[in-house]
Amino acid sequence: MVRRTGLLPAVFVGIVVVYLYAPIAVIVLFSVTTSPRLSMPIEGLTLDWYANAFSNPLMSTALQNSLALALVSAIVSGAFGATLSFGIVALKGGRMRAALLSASLLPAIVPLLVIGISLAVFFRALGLPQGLFNSAVGHIIVSLPFVVLTMNARLETFDFSTLEAARDLGATPYQAFRDITFPMIRPSIIGAALLAAALSLDEFVVTWFNIGNQQTVPVLVWGLMRRGVDPSINAIATLLLVLLVGLVVASNLVNRKKSSA
Amino acid sequence: MGVSKLFGDTRALEHIDFRVEDGEFVSLLGASGCGKSTLLRILAGFERPTTGTVQIYQQDVTQWPPEKRPTNLVFQRGALFPHMTVRENIGYSLKLRRWTPSRIDARIEEMLALVRLDGLGDRAPSQLSGGQAQRVALARALASEPRVLLLDEPLSALDLKLRQQMQLELRAIQKRLGATFVFVTHDQTEALVMSDRIAIMNNGRIVQYGTPRDIYRRPNSVFVSDFVGATNLLSGVVGSIDGERIVLQTASGAFAAPKGTEQLRKGERAVLSLRPEAVRLHPGTGRTAEGSSVSGNIAEIIFQGNCVRIGTQILPDATIWAELRDDEADGLTPGDPVTLSWAESAAAVMKEEPQ
Ligand SMILES: Nc1ncnc2c1ncn2[C@@H]1O[C@H](COP(=O)(O)OP(=O)(O)O)[C@@H](O)[C@H]1O
Ligand SMILES: [Mg+2]
């Protein structure tokens, strides 16, 4: 095998990596520097911005709201997505399966703006005031396709004959689900739910149209940015970043552990 | 009552009508796609027959779900529960039946000993070899003492040595437990070795049902004689029928055979079937004392280890294969003129089947 160690490809890869990660690195960096302005050179290190962010009462409510939405999304999307996906995979081919799969994945390509505005119009028609509940519904719609997608990947390898084996050995349909299906797909559900939580945490567009005068972390940050760049935004963004990366890594780990068993 | 099964337009089973006696080991033998699994799944309760009924011990169970039936199925690829240990797999049916933990444990040990897996109880299914997994599947299915055990090609994934060993073990276990086994296989040797009776299936029908000896010696159709063991087929026209003897006129001569169960009429087209091991081979072209004989030249010699198969061309388009012990074939070479002979009783005449 020929190994190409040309300089040009290396430089190109370098540029792409810098392009992808430089902004993120800058934010993380400035969340711990003393200089209140985003400028070089770095004068000293501090955690003041984190303290600042948390002492802001708006911030703690926004964080609570964000976590509540993430939790609801994880549970509802996880449960809905798992059920939907299991049903789709159990159909074993056929037009019905293709149709259902497309239908469940469609929200992923509908522009967020469209989802956000339609939901707002829809809830107004129902006479429901904007608020956290409306946003939660939006988050579930946005995360469901990704839950179905990750669940499907796992369920493709699910051995449905184990369910028949359980029935054959005397289990009722409910017992077969409780003893066989659920324990076997639990890691996939947890992984998918963590992903839904991650998607919910940084959702902005749909939230903004539906949350009214309440705030989530992304909505709060957007509001703060309009009043000028406050270094505590860097701290908030960094926290959000750590949380999201943590959730996605955990989601992958849970699934990996299962598939290597 | 004949059972049939349609999947949409596909007719998987057609008017199956067969009965298994208590304590029997019955094999369903047929090529892939002939409907063996479908029949087994109807017995287990996973499929409902389109027409017909299923009775187990005089009870009509046609509408019963699998968990209510006194049958257990050993799946083709085991279908072990991957998140449970071997022990938990075997004990699952007992837990559902609310046995006490101590009784369950005792039973699991008994089952592990039966399938010779003592000491492997705490492994996960992923830590087992193919043969071990298959034995766990067997133990799991046997633990609740089903009156009927259904097995869907449980040995097909194993290599030859292990398969032969498992065949004998399965047979021994069945005799020891006195349970009724219905065993699906596409391997004729396996069916011959293990069964009390064999049902040969073709295109969703049972074409012959009988003891291994019956099926091997008195196949009732060209399909069966060709499918079970190797055979030579010579076609011709029925010349005469007298008493228990039937004479077939073929292009290479007239051959007699015992009259089988099939109703054949004079002048009808028919086929003579002759097992290679019944054919004897004599160098030269002289006449022999034995019943039927025909001469030709050796066309092919195939060494098979325990025996040698020799193809003799008796007509430009007809070859008869003989199976000899290795030392009996010493000194024979292709092209040699030889005479083939066989006892009249070794041949069978049956209806020609439209291809
Ligand atoms: N669920 C099903 N849907 C449609 N056709 C099926 C189904 N199961 C089996 N068949 C068809 O029925 C026939 C018999 O299948 P099967 O009983 O599995 O055969 P075997 O076990 O002898 O190989 C085959 O033609 C197969 O394609
Ligand atoms: Mg099959």
Side-chain angles (χ1 to χ4, degrees):
Chain A
M1 209 170 117
V2 185
R3 232 180 101 88
R4 286 185 208 157
T5 49
L7 193 61
L8 214 59
V11 168
F12 180 73
V13 170
I15 291 175
V16 171
V17 169
V18 168
Y19 173 76
L20 285 177
Y21 290 102
I24 298 173
V26 166
I27 285 213
V28 175
L29 185 66
F30 283 119
S31 75
V32 291
T33 56
T34 47
S35 162
R37 253 169 295 142
L38 305 183
S39 63
M40 286 293 204
I42 296 160
E43 288 155 21
L45 297 178
T46 175
L47 286 177
D48 283 355
W49 308 124
Y50 287 86
N52 252 11
F54 278 102
S55 65
N56 181 347
L58 283 179
M59 175 60 193
S60 35
T61 353
L63 194 62
Q64 271 171 28
N65 287 344
S66 271
L67 291 179
L69 284 175
L71 189 69
V72 170
S73 298
I75 293 172
V76 180
S77 256
F80 276 19
T83 323
L84 197 59
S85 177
F86 200 78
I88 291 173
V89 174
L91 281 176
K92 298 235 191 280
R95 216 175 301 168
M96 190 64 183
R97 177 185 186 166
L100 268 177
L101 190 61
S102 312
S104 58
L105 298 183
L106 201 62
I109 54 166
V110 173
L112 290 175
L113 199 63
V114 174
I115 296 180
I117 296 173
S118 344
L119 263 185
V121 171
F122 176 70
F123 281 124
R124 169 170 294 200
L126 288 184
L128 264 167
Q130 292 176 313
L132 279 180
F133 173 81
N134 301 10
S135 308
V137 173
H139 285 197
I140 291 160
I141 294 177
V142 171
S143 55
L144 202 58
F146 297 93
V147 170
V148 170
L149 217 53
T150 48
M151 285 291 300
N152 270 1
R154 270 292 298 143
L155 286 180
E156 288 297 340
T157 58
F158 185 85
D159 183 3
F160 281 86
S161 64
T162 55
L163 293 186
E164 291 192 332
R167 293 290 303 280
D168 191 60
L169 293 169
T172 60
Y174 166 72
Q175 287 171 324
F177 175 81
R178 184 196 62 193
D179 299 337
I180 312 300
T181 314
F182 187 65
M184 274 169 75
I185 65 173
R186 187 171 41 208
S188 318
I189 299 178
I190 293 174
L194 288 174
L195 187 66
L199 289 167
S200 161
L201 268 184
D202 79 333
E203 212 299 313
F204 174 72
V205 180
V206 175
T207 319
W208 194 80
F209 279 103
N210 289 283
I211 201 161
N213 50 20
Q214 309 235 47
Q215 296 197 310
T216 63
V217 174
V219 172
L220 174 71
V221 169
W222 183 76
L224 293 176
M225 287 287 287
R226 281 169 31 118
R227 270 178 258 137
V229 177
D230 175 346
S232 50
I233 290 176
N234 296 333
I236 297 172
T238 305
L239 280 177
L240 204 54
L241 177 74
V242 170
L243 213 53
L244 286 175
V245 170
L247 281 176
V248 173
V249 168
S251 160
N252 277 328
L253 279 184
V254 170
N255 275 319
R256 179 114 23 100
K257 206 171 121 209
K258 174 68 198 179
S259 46
S260 64
Chain B
M1 186 65 75
V3 163
S4 56
K5 172 73 189 175
L6 290 105
F7 293 111
D9 296 337
T10 315
R11 189 172 278 275
L13 293 179
E14 207 160 333
H15 211 81
I16 298 281
D17 201 342
F18 91 126
R19 119 183 224 115
V20 177
E21 300 301 329
D22 195 12
E24 246 188 336
F25 194 123
V26 167
S27 287
L28 302 177
L29 173 65
S32 154
C34 72
K36 308 179 296 287
S37 296
T38 306
L39 181 52
L40 212 59
R41 291 172 58 81
I42 286 177
L43 295 177
F46 292 120
E47 312 276 358
R48 298 259 179 282
T50 312
T51 66
T53 59
V54 179
Q55 290 190 11
I56 302 176
Y57 294 100
Q58 282 85 48
Q59 234 169 349
D60 186 338
V61 298
T62 317
Q63 301 303 324
W64 291 19
E67 64 266 28
K68 290 259 165 60
R69 299 196 183 193
T71 57
N72 279 353
L73 177 61
V74 178
F75 288 77
Q76 188 158 357
R77 270 169 299 121
L80 295 180
F81 307 132
H83 59 295
M84 297 185 187
T85 62
V86 166
R87 213 176 276 282
E88 289 166 339
N89 264 281
I90 298 176
Y92 184 63
S93 61
L94 309 177
K95 223 173 98 189
L96 290 171
R97 283 169 177 73
R98 299 179 189 288
W99 284 28
T100 60
S102 58
R103 243 184 107 202
I104 294 182
D105 284 343
R107 193 53 194 267
I108 291 173
E109 289 312 320
E110 203 182 307
M111 284 297 125
L112 283 171
L114 183 72
V115 297
R116 304 197 198 167
L117 287 176
D118 324 63
L120 294 188
D122 295 319
R123 294 238 183 130
S126 58
Q127 296 169 306
L128 299 174
S129 72
Q132 292 169 336
Q134 218 30 274
R135 277 187 267 185
V136 175
L138 181 68
R140 183 179 69 176
L142 283 172
S144 60
E145 294 192 326
R147 300 168 84 178
V148 181
L149 191 74
L150 309 167
L151 305 100
D152 194 354
E153 310 203 23
L155 308 181
S156 63
L158 309 182
D159 57 51
L160 186 63
K161 260 264 150 44
L162 191 57
R163 195 157 76 223
Q164 290 173 337
Q165 185 190 336
M166 289 278 297
Q167 285 166 3
L168 299 179
E169 282 182 24
L170 260 181
R171 170 84 187 165
I173 287 172
Q174 186 262 341
K175 286 292 160 240
R176 185 146 18 120
L177 300 178
T180 307
F181 276 34
V182 180
F183 182 93
V184 160
T185 178
H186 63 260
D187 181 339
Q188 42 119 350
T189 322
E190 195 162 280
L192 291 172
V193 168
M194 302 173 75
S195 322
D196 293 319
R197 282 201 285 174
I198 301 177
I200 312 268
M201 293 186 65
N202 185 26
N203 279 334
R205 294 166 191 271
I206 290 180
V207 292
Q208 189 169 2
Y209 188 31
T211 64
R213 276 207 172 73
D214 259 357
I215 290 205
Y216 192 78
R217 292 202 188 143
R218 279 185 291 283
N220 67 2
S221 63
V222 175
F223 175 82
V224 173
S225 68
D226 205 25
F227 192 77
V228 181
T231 197
N232 293 295
L233 297 170
L234 291 171
S235 50
V237 174
V238 177
S240 65
I241 304 173
D242 63 79
E244 287 305 297
R245 204 158 166 273
I246 185 164
V247 176
L248 192 70
Q249 296 289 343
T250 74
S252 29
F255 302 111
K259 188 167 162 291
T261 49
E262 265 197 284
Q263 297 304 309
L264 286 163
R265 271 166 295 120
K266 200 167 175 238
E268 202 174 358
R269 293 203 59 83
V271 177
L272 181 107
S273 161
L274 185 62
R275 299 287 181 198
E277 66 272 18
V279 178
R280 249 161 283 178
L281 188 142
H282 318 272
T285 49
R287 285 266 131 196
T288 60
E290 208 175 19
S292 309
S293 68
V294 63
S295 354
N297 294 77
I298 295 180
E300 236 179 308
I301 300 180
I302 300 172
F303 177 68
Q304 290 192 321
N306 58 343
C307 66
V308 177
R309 293 171 73 86
I310 297 182
T312 303
Q313 197 155 24
I314 55 168
L315 282 176
D317 62 348
T319 303
I320 288 190
W321 291 92
E323 198 171 287
L324 273 60
R325 280 206 328 268
D326 180 29
D327 54 348
E328 293 175 321
D330 284 345
L332 295 175
T333 49
D336 287 357
V338 288
T339 301
L340 306 174
S341 72
W342 59 89
E344 227 174 81
S345 59
V349 175
M350 55 203 71
K351 271 201 178 77
E352 190 169 61
E353 278 168 17
Q355 287 301 314

